[in-house]
Amino acid sequence: MSERRGIWSPLSHPLVYEAFHHLIGARRWMRRFVRDVIRPRAEDRVLDIGCGPGALLGCLPPSTTYIGFDRNPAYIERARRIHAGRGRFICDDVANFAAHELAAVDIVVAIGILHHLDDAVAATLLRTLRGTLKPGGRVVTVDPCFHEGQSPIQRLVVSNDRGLHVRPFDRYRELVSAVFDDSTTTLNQGHLPFPHSVCIVQARRRPAP
């Protein structure tokens, strides 16, 4: 993974990261996102790639089986402390994800991951995630994007994101559709609570005939 440093460096500390996300309304967004997009069932196994301190877990049904994956040891340590006794948290880079050989899951969530990866690494990760899904399972990705009609302030925010591989909206669709036959792409944009333009891709691993 690659990312900008400089003014973004403090976000590597979990308390700063959480405070920033609270400030921009990310927690409220997460609850709506889980309800409207992820739609987890009580018995689902959910894999959270780039889990940070584990915010997604707090929005899932208590009976959900959860695996969080992140390369930042401080994030993982805090997640384990906050969610003690619930969930499994793995600290490693996504480039090494395949080596962990996890049991198949129903849903993979990757919020803010693909725009940190170049095309080759992103494609490899998507192929690995497809193999991790149960037949009929879904992967959901969320990343900042460029798009037509984007306001100057939205473009400024996206251009200065921590990730070094922010793509045009259609490019995320191309990346995912090259691996999954069944995928849909949605643009979510606005200026409240902060200027944003994100591409949400949902893809499904088709059940065997």
Side-chain angles (χ1 to χ4, degrees):
M1 290 181 67
S2 59
E3 61 184 35
R4 289 184 175 88
R5 299 295 181 178
I7 63 170
W8 295 113
S9 296
L11 290 178
S12 62
H13 190 287
L15 294 181
V16 176
Y17 177 89
E18 289 176 331
F20 175 74
H21 277 220
H22 177 74
L23 180 66
I24 65 174
R27 294 296 176 258
R28 295 191 301 275
W29 177 88
M30 179 75 78
R31 289 192 291 271
R32 293 195 302 270
F33 180 71
V34 169
R35 181 194 65 207
D36 299 337
V37 179
I38 299 179
R39 306 184 307 279
R41 300 167 299 181
E43 69 276 13
D44 278 342
R45 286 177 53 85
V46 177
L47 171 63
D48 185 7
I49 300 291
C51 65
L56 177 64
L57 177 54
C59 301
L60 298 176
S63 56
T64 300
T65 300
Y66 174 92
I67 307 100
F69 194 98
D70 201 288
R71 71 170 184 168
N72 185 323
Y75 288 171
I76 292 296
E77 180 183 353
R78 180 159 175 78
R80 288 170 176 163
R81 187 165 61 248
I82 293 173
H83 302 287
R86 185 179 175 208
R88 175 188 176 191
F89 293 93
I90 301 170
C91 187
D92 204 346
D93 193 277
V94 293
N96 305 320
F97 175 77
H100 291 272
E101 299 182 347
L102 300 178
V105 300
D106 299 280
I107 304 172
V108 175
V109 181
I111 299 176
I113 294 299
L114 296 183
H115 75 289
H116 286 276
L117 310 176
D118 64 30
D119 283 2
V121 176
T124 298
L125 176 63
L126 288 167
R127 287 193 295 269
T128 304
L129 295 180
R130 183 183 183 280
T132 304
L133 286 170
K134 296 177 183 178
R138 294 181 293 130
V139 61
V140 181
T141 71
V142 183
D143 289 276
C145 67
F146 299 107
H147 60 86
E148 291 185 5
Q150 191 171 37
S151 73
I153 186 62
Q154 288 172 324
R155 181 168 288 272
L156 177 65
V157 170
V158 169
S159 297
N160 288 278
D161 189 275
R162 276 202 295 173
L164 297 178
H165 300 283
V166 177
R167 298 171 171 88
F169 174 82
D170 288 338
R171 183 58 188 141
Y172 291 109
R173 175 165 48 201
E174 292 169 358
L175 277 172
V176 177
S177 62
V179 177
F180 291 87
D181 295 328
D182 184 2
S183 66
T184 60
T185 314
T186 305
L187 175 64
N188 184 292
Q189 62 167 321
H191 290 87
L192 293 173
F194 67 99
H196 62 278
S197 295
V198 295
C199 176
I200 301 174
V201 184
Q202 300 184 63
R204 185 180 299 273
R205 179 177 181 180
R206 289 182 175 174

